[in-house]
Amino acid sequence: MTNPKKAAAHDQELVALFEGLDTPGVSDAMDKLGLHGQALGIMPLDNYARPIVGPAFTVKYVPAATPAGTVGDFIDDVAEGDIVVIDNDGRTDCTVWGDIMTQYAGLRGIAGTVIDGVCRDVGKALGDGYPVFSAGRFMRTGKDRVEVESVNTTVAVGTVRVAARDIVVADANGVVIVPRERAREVAETARKIESVEAAIRERISQGATIREARAALGYHLLQRKA
C-alpha cells in the first residue's frame, strides 16, 4: 500500500532542520526561547533508538453522542510522514488507538502517533516498531464512548497546545511540540546548544573535570532565556 497523500515540500524542509537532534536538546532550546512545548505525562511505548520528527495532524475527540460518530476514519486523510496527535482530554478509561490503526498507519508511511489518552493492542505497535506515545495503555474500546469532533484544529496534549502542522519531535525521552512559525529558530538554537555540549564531552574525555569544562563553555547558561 502506498499513501496517495505525500509530504509537502515545505513540511519536508522543516522536518529536515531537526535531523540529528533529540528531545532534550530541543527542550533546552525551547526553554532558552521562552517557549512551552514539553508534553507532560506523554510517554513512549518503547525506548525508541531514534527520534521521530513530523508535522502534526491533529485530532480532537469528545464524548460520544447518540448515535455515536466515528473513531478512526480520519486516518485516510493523514499524509506520509505526518505524526497523528490525538487529544482525548487525557481520558484513561477508553482507548483511541489500536492494532488496526497501527497496521494501517505503518502501511501508509505515517511517522507515529501521540495521544493525550491511552492506546491498546500494544504488542502490535511494539512488534511493528511503530512509534506510539501516550499517557498509558488500557484495553477498553473507545467505540460508542468517544467520537471525533474535529481534525486539524488546535488541540491540547500533555499541557501543551498543538496547532495543525506544528512540528513534533518525539523519542525515548518523551514529546516536544515546536510551534511551526518558530521551527527554524528552535532548531538553530538546539544545534548551538548541542555543539557546546559536544565540546564539553570532548574536554572531559581528555581529562578535564566536569566543573572546568562546564565553566569554560558556559554550560549553566545554555538553556537560560536570552
Side-chain angles (χ1 to χ4, degrees), residues 82-120:
D82 280 5
I83 296 177
V84 178
V85 177
I86 299 175
D87 176 359
N88 195 29
D89 199 29
R91 287 183 65 165
T92 57
D93 63 324
C94 64
T95 187
V96 290
W97 192 271
D99 56 351
I100 295 174
M101 299 285 279
T102 291
Q103 179 178 345
Y104 195 65
L107 290 170
R108 290 173 72 87
I110 295 168
T113 300
V114 175
I115 309 167
D116 191 22
V118 293
C119 60
R120 73 175 187 175

Side-chain angles (χ1 to χ4, degrees), residues 196-220 222:
V196 173
E197 293 191 342
I200 291 172
R201 289 191 291 270
E202 177 64 22
R203 288 194 180 209
I204 62 176
S205 72
Q206 295 178 355
T209 67
I210 196 167
R211 182 181 290 107
E212 290 169 342
R214 285 177 165 181
L217 293 164
Y219 173 82
H220 296 293
L222 284 181

Side-chain angles (χ1 to χ4, degrees), residues 175-196:
V175 179
V176 179
I177 307 297
V178 180
R180 187 179 181 87
E181 66 277 8
R182 304 290 295 274
R184 295 180 189 280
E185 186 181 7
V186 170
E188 180 182 358
T189 302
R191 291 196 183 280
K192 289 178 179 177
I193 291 172
E194 175 53 33
S195 68
V196 173

Side-chain angles (χ1 to χ4, degrees), residues 121-207:
D121 302 315
V122 298
K124 178 65 173 174
L126 292 169
D128 288 1
Y130 180 79
V132 176
F133 303 79
S134 71
R137 55 185 82 179
F138 192 55
M139 82 299 297
R140 189 161 70 171
T141 181
K143 292 187 290 291
D144 296 331
R145 294 187 172 95
V146 293
E147 63 183 48
V148 173
E149 179 184 61
S150 62
V151 299
N152 286 327
T153 56
T154 298
V155 300
V157 174
T159 73
V160 177
R161 288 173 60 83
V162 188
R165 317 315 292 170
D166 279 350
I167 302 301
V168 182
V169 184
D171 60 19
N173 302 286
V175 179
V176 179
I177 307 297
V178 180
R180 187 179 181 87
E181 66 277 8
R182 304 290 295 274
R184 295 180 189 280
E185 186 181 7
V186 170
E188 180 182 358
T189 302
R191 291 196 183 280
K192 289 178 179 177
I193 291 172
E194 175 53 33
S195 68
V196 173
E197 293 191 342
I200 291 172
R201 289 191 291 270
E202 177 64 22
R203 288 194 180 209
I204 62 176
S205 72
Q206 295 178 355

